[in-house]
Each structure stands twice: as C-alpha cells, then as structure tokens.
Amino acid sequence: MAIIRPIVTGKTLAEQRIDDKLQLLSELETAGARFGPVPGVPAPAGADSNQSLVVLVDRTTRRYGLGAFLKRNQPDGNSSIRLRFENAPFDAMVSWLSELQTNFALTTVSASIDSAQEPGRVNCNLVLAR
C-alpha cells in the first residue's frame, strides 16, 4: 500500500489538473469568441481573404453539420453572401458563426432568426461580409 497509494494519489491529482486546464481553455475560448478578433492583429492562419465565400461557407457548414440545413447560398458581390437556413440546430449555428468571425474575419451584417417547430431549431436569414 505504501508504494501504490502515492501513485494513485498522483494520478488523481494529475487528472484533476487536466480537468481544471480543460475548463480554463473552454472559458478562454468562450471569452475569445465573445470579444472577437483584436483590431490590428492579423487574422489567424487559414483566414484566406482570397477564398470564395461560397466555398468557405460550404466547407465550414459541412464541418458543423449544417450543410443539410442551408437552403440558399447567394453571393452578394465579392465581399458578402446571403444565406438561408431552415430547421438548423441553434447551438451549431452559434458555434459556426463564432468560427467565421474568429478564424475567417467574417462579420454578420444582418440576421433574422426565428424559432422552428422543433425545440432548439431555428430558421434564419443571414448576410455575412468580410
């Protein structure tokens, strides 16, 4: 027991430290998403300003599981796009919009969001711009 107890205790403490660090990381990501990009700081890697908005929206909506809910995808000039989602999961929409702002410097110019028939689902019209 004298040999095993310190190992078990050390493992438990290490697991607790990992949990604490994951919680801190989650809080920092939430705060970062809330405040958005810092003016004067270059966009992160992957924020290709030459990439077509249609391609960017297609790729990111698929990654967030929103591709099936995107019903309209209409470019509005070179720097903005109009989108229509139907019956989309609200939490995924918020996370997706946060990524677009944080990683790709896209802002939501306008948004019209209505609740859908299912709880946690929304219908929305968005205009996004660089």
Side-chain angles (χ1 to χ4, degrees), residues 102-130:
T102 304
N103 295 336
F104 299 100
L106 287 180
T107 57
T108 304
V109 175
S110 68
S112 172
I113 302 172
D114 299 309
S115 60
Q117 290 181 342
E118 290 182 50
R121 301 285 182 145
V122 293
N123 298 320
C124 63
N125 293 304
L126 300 171
V127 176
L128 305 176
R130 293 186 197 245

Side-chain angles (χ1 to χ4, degrees), residues 79-101:
S79 61
S80 66
I81 190 167
R82 295 178 181 276
L83 306 168
R84 169 74 180 164
F85 290 88
E86 293 179 2
N87 202 33
F90 178 75
D91 292 343
M93 290 291 301
V94 171
S95 297
W96 174 69
L97 288 169
S98 175
E99 180 185 344
L100 291 180
Q101 180 180 10

Side-chain angles (χ1 to χ4, degrees), residues 15-126:
E15 288 173 344
Q16 181 60 43
R17 283 193 300 256
I18 290 171
D19 289 342
D20 291 345
K21 298 294 182 189
L22 288 173
Q23 178 64 30
L24 178 60
L25 177 61
S26 174
E27 291 171 5
L28 290 172
E29 287 174 341
T30 301
R34 186 172 355 135
F35 294 112
V38 177
V41 174
D48 184 0
S49 61
N50 295 325
Q51 186 176 28
S52 163
L53 289 176
V54 173
V55 172
L56 176 64
V57 166
D58 181 63
R59 190 185 61 198
T60 57
T61 54
R62 288 177 194 269
R63 185 170 49 233
Y64 279 84
L66 295 169
F69 306 105
L70 180 60
K71 301 303 178 187
R72 188 180 62 178
N73 181 343
Q74 178 183 2
D76 190 16
N78 291 330
S79 61
S80 66
I81 190 167
R82 295 178 181 276
L83 306 168
R84 169 74 180 164
F85 290 88
E86 293 179 2
N87 202 33
F90 178 75
D91 292 343
M93 290 291 301
V94 171
S95 297
W96 174 69
L97 288 169
S98 175
E99 180 185 344
L100 291 180
Q101 180 180 10
T102 304
N103 295 336
F104 299 100
L106 287 180
T107 57
T108 304
V109 175
S110 68
S112 172
I113 302 172
D114 299 309
S115 60
Q117 290 181 342
E118 290 182 50
R121 301 285 182 145
V122 293
N123 298 320
C124 63
N125 293 304
L126 300 171

